[in-house]
Amino acid sequence: MKLKNFRLLTVVILGAIANINALAQIPAGYYDGLKGKKGAELKTAVHNIIKKAKVLDYGPGKGATWWGFYTTDNDNGYVIDRYSNNKVKFGAQGEAPGGLNIEHSFPKSWWDGAKTQAYKDLFNLMPSDRKANSSKSNYGMGVVTQTSGKGYFNNECIKVGTGADGKKYWQPSDQWKGDFSRAYMYMATAYQDYKWSGEQALISLQQGDYPTLKEWASQLYIKWGKLDPVSQLEVKRNNAVYKIQGNRNPFIDFPNLPDYIWGDSVNYAFDPAKTVTSESYTGGSGTTDPTDPTEETIYTANFKSTDGSCTVKDDVAPTQDDSVWKRNNKYGWVGTAYINGTRHAADSRLFTPVIDLTDYTSAKLLFKHAVNFLSNPSSMLSVEVTDEETKTTTKLDGITWPKGNSWTFNESGDVDLTAFAGKRITISFHYTSNESVNATWEIMDIAVTGTKAISGIGSVTATTVAFNPAMPYTAYDIAGHRITSLNNHKGIALVKQNGKTFKIMCK
């Protein structure tokens, strides 16, 4: 894989690390059949692993779709609706809540609506608001450029309308783009042997085992998958569906798998035991190259279940008896100076424990947060890093802020901490308010990950033997990142070939 795309994959790693469950759920050896495969051959190998599922009956009732949704799409008694922002309570398990439909994200008309396995597959079925379901129709997923007029629908969760090519599409909100992209790639692989029919299907698909997704679609879904990395919710749902159906969505388990099937790594052999995973995977015989640099979790906490050993310091408390920051089991750490119906001026920080980056050459921060009652969150809220040795504090840039007018949680994006590599730091969430403006800032979870310098490259060999770029080699930059092609690299590279290590300057 090209170096620039290796860096993009780091986003996926962080997104996964920040949210994975502690216990691995991928069965040992489940994906061993993928080892050494690439491109079309890899896609068919994936198909053979996931093509058979013990699907539930379709509809409500015991042992049917809504029975499954009660397990797979339940947030503390409320339905997780990826097509609208409505909050609807579940009734008894198996009952269909009022106002909701079962929606096929991959429209059932695309295979003539036959009630085959694909019709009942939970990886393709989601609870949906009825109006959103009707508006989405049987359109494929793509970029909607229409902003008003006939046929346009926008409920702040999905849009439906025409794209730049004049064709009809539906588009999910940013928080669900990766989820639906991985679902579409699953469907195009699990059912690659289906015959697709109808005008709408053939906008996104083509007949045959490979590539099945048209190029514009696969490239868009790869892009969306990286912009919206795998989350805990997605991992949890993957595991829940696996318990019901006995098959998994491998594009959730291996976030970079799409690159090996449709992307820039189609000419590279895939190895499930060595690649990036959302959860731990134990292969049959795969081993990790000891010289490969690996992302390590340095500090992580889900604030809905733990305080993360964080501390609060109120420089200006909202009242004598109240602190800005409080933690609860529903939202995590919540910061507000709106107390008992009154707005207060406040200045307060929520500190992590000391995070030791001494042995790391790079590090990144990722967290999930929501902001309400503040149209420009960064004007009064910030995230800061304090160097524990010098006690200097730096405000971090590069944070993705929510819009500031809803309770929807958003990923911060990868926030680079490499400037603090080699140091001991604390991270603080800095809240300020005045008597006119009181935001509510919720921090759900956090992860700090880092990469250590590789130790297995060995010393550079003094030899008259010349490096031959036409022969197989492994290469790394000086920070320990793997380089797949020296043609795409600039600067110093450490290259191993035939048991010797060369130091090469690439221009």
Side-chain angles (χ1 to χ4, degrees):
M1 186 174 295
K2 296 177 182 177
L3 182 60
K4 64 182 180 70
N5 288 314
F6 181 88
R7 285 173 179 156
L8 284 175
L9 277 179
T10 306
V11 175
V12 178
I13 298 168
L14 283 170
I17 288 173
N19 297 290
I20 60 173
N21 298 325
L23 297 177
Q25 300 288 337
I26 306 175
Y30 182 80
Y31 289 116
D32 279 5
L34 306 184
K35 185 176 181 180
K37 306 293 196 304
K38 52 188 172 182
E41 184 185 21
L42 175 60
K43 185 169 182 285
T44 295
V46 173
H47 166 79
N48 289 332
I49 292 172
I50 66 175
K51 65 183 179 181
K52 292 183 179 180
K54 299 176 182 178
V55 294
L56 300 174
D57 293 334
Y58 185 85
K62 186 174 182 179
T65 310
W66 278 107
W67 185 272
F69 283 164
Y70 192 87
T71 299
T72 61
D73 299 278
N74 191 329
D75 180 18
N76 296 313
Y78 287 87
V79 178
I80 299 171
D81 182 358
R82 296 163 179 81
Y83 295 93
S84 83
N85 293 318
N86 298 341
K87 294 194 71 173
V88 179
K89 279 190 174 182
F90 272 106
Q93 186 169 5
E95 289 183 359
L100 294 178
N101 290 152
I102 299 169
E103 171 61 357
H104 293 79
S105 59
F106 220 66
K108 55 185 179 289
S109 65
W110 288 8
W111 63 90
D112 290 330
K115 295 184 178 181
T116 56
Q117 179 180 298
Y119 189 94
K120 307 172 186 179
D121 192 331
L122 284 174
F123 284 120
N124 188 43
L125 302 179
M126 306 282 180
S128 171
D129 168 74
R130 285 178 183 170
K131 187 174 182 180
N133 178 20
S134 174
S135 299
K136 173 180 172 288
S137 188
N138 68 337
Y139 306 135
M141 185 169 65
V143 177
V144 173
T145 57
Q146 184 179 351
T147 57
S148 63
K150 185 178 179 179
Y152 178 68
F153 174 82
N154 185 353
N155 65 358
E156 304 300 326
C157 193
I158 71 166
K159 296 185 210 176
V160 180
T162 56
D165 58 1
K167 297 173 182 176
K168 296 285 283 190
Y169 298 99
W170 75 279
Q171 177 181 321
S173 61
D174 290 347
Q175 66 174 323
W176 300 119
K177 282 179 178 174
D179 303 57
F180 281 116
S181 292
R182 286 177 280 272
Y184 265 51
M185 290 186 279
Y186 165 90
M187 290 296 292
T189 304
Y191 303 105
Q192 64 183 31
D193 53 343
Y194 275 35
K195 181 175 177 58
W196 310 111
S197 61
E199 179 183 353
Q200 294 301 326
L202 297 178
I203 293 173
S204 306
L205 305 175
Q206 61 188 66
Q207 310 293 356
D209 293 350
Y210 187 83
T212 311
L213 288 172
K214 288 191 174 178
E215 184 177 5
W216 75 261
S218 64
Q219 298 312 300
L220 177 64
Y221 304 155
I222 288 174
K223 175 184 175 181
W224 280 357
K226 290 175 179 178
L227 291 174
D228 175 30
V230 176
S231 66
Q232 180 187 16
L233 181 65
E234 211 174 345
V235 170
K236 183 179 178 182
R237 190 178 201 274
N238 194 20
N239 292 329
V241 175
Y242 170 68
K243 288 180 181 178
I244 295 170
Q245 296 189 167
N247 71 334
R248 304 181 65 81
N249 183 338
F251 301 101
I252 296 173
D253 289 331
F254 302 109
N256 64 344
L257 179 59
D259 281 314
Y260 286 84
I261 293 177
W262 296 284
D264 65 358
S265 295
V266 293
N267 295 319
Y268 294 89
F270 185 77
D271 187 342
K274 293 183 179 181
T275 196
V276 176
T277 60
S278 296
E279 296 188 271
S280 298
Y281 172 65
T282 304
S285 59
T287 57
T288 300
D289 186 339
T291 63
D292 278 348
T294 57
E295 287 279 339
E296 295 184 9
T297 304
I298 305 168
Y299 170 74
T300 185
N302 186 321
F303 295 138
K304 293 170 66 175
S305 58
T306 177
D307 64 9
S309 299
C310 292
T311 56
V312 174
K313 184 176 184 295
D314 288 313
D315 291 329
V316 179
T319 72
Q320 184 176 354
D321 300 320
D322 291 289
S323 174
V324 165
W325 291 98
K326 297 180 178 66
R327 191 194 71 83
N328 65 56
N329 294 331
K330 190 172 183 180
Y331 304 110
W333 279 105
V334 179
T336 184
Y338 185 73
I339 310 295
N340 297 326
T342 303
R343 296 182 179 88
H344 299 272
D347 192 318
S348 179
R349 289 175 174 85
L350 173 70
F351 287 93
T352 66
V354 174
I355 299 171
D356 192 349
L357 303 182
T358 304
D359 296 329
Y360 294 85
T361 58
S362 64
K364 293 186 179 182
L365 163 69
L366 181 73
F367 59 93
K368 186 177 290 185
H369 62 153
V371 179
N372 208 345
F373 312 117
L374 182 60
S375 59
N376 182 12
S378 62
S379 65
M380 302 185 78
L381 311 175
S382 61
V383 183
E384 300 167 350
V385 171
T386 300
D387 183 327
E388 286 300 296
E389 181 178 355
T390 64
K391 296 301 181 182
T392 56
T393 297
T394 304
K395 180 180 176 180
L396 292 175
D397 295 321
I399 295 168
T400 300
W401 289 95
K403 292 182 179 179
N405 60 358
S406 79
W407 302 114
T408 301
F409 280 89
N410 294 273
E411 299 278 6
S412 65
D414 289 324
V415 184
D416 191 6
L417 299 178
T418 301
F420 307 98
K423 301 177 180 179
R424 297 171 73 250
I425 64 170
T426 53
I427 296 170
S428 61
F429 297 90
H430 189 180
Y431 177 101
T432 64
S433 66
N434 56 46
E435 294 179 353
S436 299
V437 181
N438 280 179
T440 298
W441 192 10
E442 299 171 341
I443 315 294
M444 181 184 289
D445 57 25
I446 185 174
V448 176
T449 59
T451 303
K452 291 183 177 180
I454 57 173
S455 59
I457 194 71
S459 58
V460 178
T461 306
T463 176
T464 57
V465 177
F467 163 65
N468 184 353
M471 299 295 291
Y473 62 85
T474 56
Y476 304 86
D477 64 22
I478 58 174
H481 298 103
R482 187 73 170 263
I483 302 169
T484 55
S485 174
L486 294 175
N487 292 329
N488 299 319
H489 179 69
K490 292 183 179 180
I492 295 173
L494 300 176
V495 183
K496 298 187 74 171
Q497 186 179 73
N498 295 327
K500 296 180 173 60
T501 302
F502 304 88
K503 185 176 182 181
I504 296 172
M505 174 61 76
C506 303
K507 298 181 179 180

